Amino acid sequence: MKAHTKETQASITPQSAIEQLKEGNRRFQERHMADRNLIEQMQDTSKGQFPFATILSCIDSRVSSELIFDQGIGDIFSVRIAGNFVNQDILGSMEFACKLAGTKLVMVLGHTACGAVKGACDHARLGNLTALINKIEPAVEAVTEPVDESLRNSGNIDFVNAVAKKNVEMTMDRIRKESPVLDEMEQAGEIAIVGGMYNISTGEVIFY
């Protein structure tokens, strides 16, 4: 499988970009990964890159976007930070990826049993991690069930996963609100902004 070129990137629509990721995730789950020569792709992209998607995901070692979507060198821009939230620098990176480098999709990818989300559920405090946790805690407050405080912590995996999903949804909202560039591109149909949740036990990505 060859690396993307300017021509192949231009032929991709936001919807077909989503389909490519879905198909790649199915290949990953079924252990039928595409046959790629990564060294050849490295050489093909040495003078230019034409990714079709930008994926914001967690730093979790089990959640590599290139692997779980079965993509090669030059296929995606991968942004990784614990808790997959956005800040000004990440938004700037996304604007570069879409407006200047031509990607057709922005995806916010959360995952089950997320350690950063667990920390937010427990209101953890530790050095610089405290500031990171603070950015995820609004998602904790936005999940209203269960009401019982004894169940609103990392020991309740259903609560953790509900917060992780809410965090993805709130991050998508922040992208649209805080980046007029990306919001205008989405309104014009030039890109799509989507969310997803990766199940670390099954390998499946649920899109929403």
Side-chain angles (χ1 to χ4, degrees):
M1 185 176 288
K2 301 289 288 184
H4 279 290
T5 65
K6 185 175 183 179
E7 291 71 29
T8 61
Q9 183 199 56
S11 70
I12 296 172
T13 65
Q15 187 57 44
S16 66
I18 294 171
E19 291 306 315
Q20 286 195 40
L21 293 184
K22 287 183 176 180
E23 290 168 8
N25 183 240
R26 282 193 290 269
R27 291 195 302 270
F28 172 73
Q29 292 177 75
E30 296 168 1
R31 305 179 190 180
H32 293 153
M33 276 76 84
D35 184 18
R36 290 185 175 86
N37 184 328
L38 295 179
I39 299 302
E40 182 179 46
Q41 288 189 333
M42 176 193 69
Q43 294 168 344
D44 289 344
T45 57
S46 63
K47 294 183 179 179
Q49 59 172 335
F50 303 96
F52 70 91
T54 301
I55 302 176
L56 169 63
S57 63
C58 186
I59 65 167
D60 193 290
S61 64
R62 301 162 292 185
V63 191
S64 168
S65 296
E66 288 84 354
L67 294 179
I68 66 177
F69 291 115
D70 188 28
Q71 299 300 315
I73 293 175
D75 289 341
I76 62 173
F77 282 118
S78 183
V79 186
R80 302 188 69 172
I81 188 168
N84 43 268
F85 63 86
V86 289
N87 58 24
Q88 187 175 31
D89 299 317
I90 291 173
L91 287 171
S93 298
M94 290 177 168
E95 289 169 356
F96 163 79
C98 295
K99 193 69 174 180
L100 301 181
T103 64
K104 306 303 177 65
L105 180 70
V106 171
M107 182 175 195
V108 181
L109 181 66
H111 68 93
T112 59
C114 178
V117 171
K118 287 180 178 180
C121 291
D122 291 341
H123 304 288
R125 297 293 181 262
L126 175 66
N128 290 303
L129 180 62
T130 300
L132 185 150
I133 292 297
N134 286 341
K135 294 178 175 67
I136 305 172
E137 286 179 340
V140 178
E141 302 308 317
V143 175
T144 58
E145 296 291 339
V147 176
D148 186 344
E149 285 296 329
S150 68
L151 298 175
R152 296 176 62 84
N153 55 60
S154 64
N156 182 350
I157 194 62
D158 291 335
F159 179 62
V160 170
N161 292 339
V163 172
K165 182 176 186 292
K166 177 59 69 174
N167 182 51
V168 169
E169 293 168 347
M170 293 176 72
T171 299
M172 292 166 61
D173 290 342
R174 284 193 61 193
I175 291 171
R176 295 183 176 107
K177 180 180 179 181
E178 298 178 22
S179 174
V181 171
L182 297 176
D183 184 53
E184 289 171 8
M185 291 184 74
E186 184 180 39
Q187 294 298 325
E190 298 170 350
I191 65 169
I193 300 172
V194 301
M197 183 65 63
Y198 174 67
N199 188 311
I200 64 168
S201 297
T202 67
E204 181 183 15
V205 175
I206 300 297
F207 284 71
Y208 48 84

